[in-house]
Amino acid sequence: MKNTLGKWEQFLLLTQNHLTSNFIPESTLYSLENLIDLLNRYEYVYVKHNSTGQGRAIYKVYKRKDGHYCFNGFTMQGEEINKCVAAIEDFHQVLHPYVKHDKLSGNYIIQEGVISLTPDGHSTSIRVHVQNLKGEWIIGGIYGRIATEDHGIVNSNRGSQIIPIDELLSDYMMMDYTKKDKTIDSLKKDSILAAEVIASHFPCREYGIDFGLNLEGKPILFEVNTTPSISSFAKIDRTIWKKIVEIRKMQNEG
């Protein structure tokens, strides 16, 4: 059995299910032709390495009105980059720095840029931790993230602020109680659906599922993490962290 599940394999699995296909962004394998196509149709896109994590090898890419291509994010080594170029081939060189020596850095995917912002323009995302206990998927915990830098990459390893989900939706997204509760219910429902689909081909005891909220407030699934960290829960709510740990103990007991 494979010990990892790439982002492209995730997208194919989620696309094939008529329920989960409703809340995933358009994605395609990376090529210069595909990148130009999506940039002509979306305000911006994300280019992500198929198998890296922790915010490495991910770039927000957009086309300026003057025709230049701009990208910011983090290299494979985790170094921040922010650059605009006249030729899109120069961006390809960043993804594959050794292409001149016929060495590629693996596969990338291109993902539609979902505009998931607070009213004052800060990029956001949401992590939902789901666990399987005795054959049933349950929600271990949920928290929000806000990008504190202007690079548009929302990842706790890249400087994003971790906050309780109620605080994100109420204080930052300005939702009333009804809208907040409806959004949380949707996040839980969509997370369990995604876990069921992914587990059918790549079974794990738990997943960390990342979402954004589009301009209508609908959850859009960004990525499913098969080896999710729970350290961020400990920073904002030890009760939730303890609950996840207790469920892990019960999983071990069978």
Side-chain angles (χ1 to χ4, degrees):
M1 181 183 296
K2 295 191 302 180
N3 57 9
T4 59
L5 184 69
K7 297 177 180 65
W8 181 241
E9 291 86 354
Q10 288 182 25
F11 173 75
L12 292 178
L13 287 173
L14 294 167
T15 301
Q16 291 164 8
N17 183 284
H18 73 282
L19 294 175
T20 53
S21 65
N22 290 325
F23 55 82
I24 57 175
E26 181 179 354
S27 302
T28 184
L29 281 172
Y30 168 81
S31 71
L32 285 176
E33 293 78 12
N34 287 340
L35 179 59
I36 292 170
D37 172 48
L38 265 70
L39 284 174
N40 286 334
R41 293 191 286 116
Y42 294 108
E43 184 176 329
Y44 58 85
V45 302
Y46 285 97
V47 176
K48 305 177 179 181
H49 193 274
N50 190 50
S51 58
T52 59
Q54 300 181 329
R56 292 179 293 111
I58 177 172
Y59 307 88
K60 180 181 179 180
V61 187
Y62 60 96
K63 187 177 181 180
R64 278 195 330 210
K65 291 182 179 180
D66 64 2
H68 280 63
Y69 296 94
C70 299
F71 53 93
N72 50 58
F74 296 89
T75 67
M76 190 79 73
Q77 292 74 35
E79 299 171 352
E80 188 168 358
I81 187 169
N82 190 336
K83 195 173 182 180
C84 292
V85 296
I88 194 63
E89 289 79 8
D90 292 339
F91 174 63
H92 183 79
Q93 180 72 32
V94 172
L95 300 183
H96 300 288
Y98 305 109
V99 68
K100 292 180 180 179
H101 305 289
D102 294 324
K103 293 183 179 179
L104 298 180
S105 303
N107 292 325
Y108 288 83
I109 70 165
I110 312 169
Q111 193 173 75
E112 164 196 349
V114 176
I115 301 175
S116 178
L117 303 171
T118 64
D120 55 359
H122 291 289
S123 298
T124 67
S125 73
I126 296 166
R127 163 62 60 89
V128 183
H129 193 93
V130 295
Q131 296 171 279
N132 192 290
L133 185 60
K134 298 180 180 178
E136 180 181 355
W137 289 103
I138 57 178
I139 304 298
I142 309 177
Y143 64 75
R145 290 179 289 214
I146 297 179
T148 53
E149 304 292 338
D150 201 27
H151 47 60
I153 309 300
V154 191
N155 187 287
S156 54
N157 292 287
R158 304 298 159 203
S160 296
Q161 179 185 1
I162 308 297
I163 58 175
I165 186 62
D166 281 0
E167 185 178 337
L168 173 68
L169 300 182
S170 297
D171 298 348
Y172 288 89
M173 305 300 290
M174 306 300 180
M175 293 184 183
D176 59 26
Y177 287 112
T178 301
K179 177 65 174 173
K180 181 193 72 173
D181 289 345
K182 183 179 179 181
T183 300
I184 291 175
D185 286 344
S186 293
L187 287 163
K188 291 178 177 179
K189 174 187 171 186
D190 292 350
S191 295
I192 290 175
L193 281 171
E196 290 173 343
V197 170
I198 297 298
S200 67
H201 286 76
F202 193 84
C204 292
R205 298 194 307 177
E206 58 187 10
Y207 299 105
I209 305 181
D210 294 331
F211 289 89
L213 298 176
N214 67 12
L215 294 177
E216 290 75 42
K218 176 185 175 182
I220 304 294
L221 192 153
F222 290 156
E223 188 175 335
V224 178
N225 299 273
T226 56
T227 56
S229 168
I230 62 172
S231 59
S232 293
F233 286 107
K235 296 176 184 177
I236 60 169
D237 193 330
R238 293 283 297 183
T239 302
I240 296 176
W241 179 84
K242 289 179 179 178
K243 173 188 172 184
I244 294 172
V245 172
E246 285 301 315
I247 293 172
R248 285 179 172 179
K249 290 178 180 177
M250 288 187 281
Q251 287 173 328
N252 291 332
E253 293 169 358

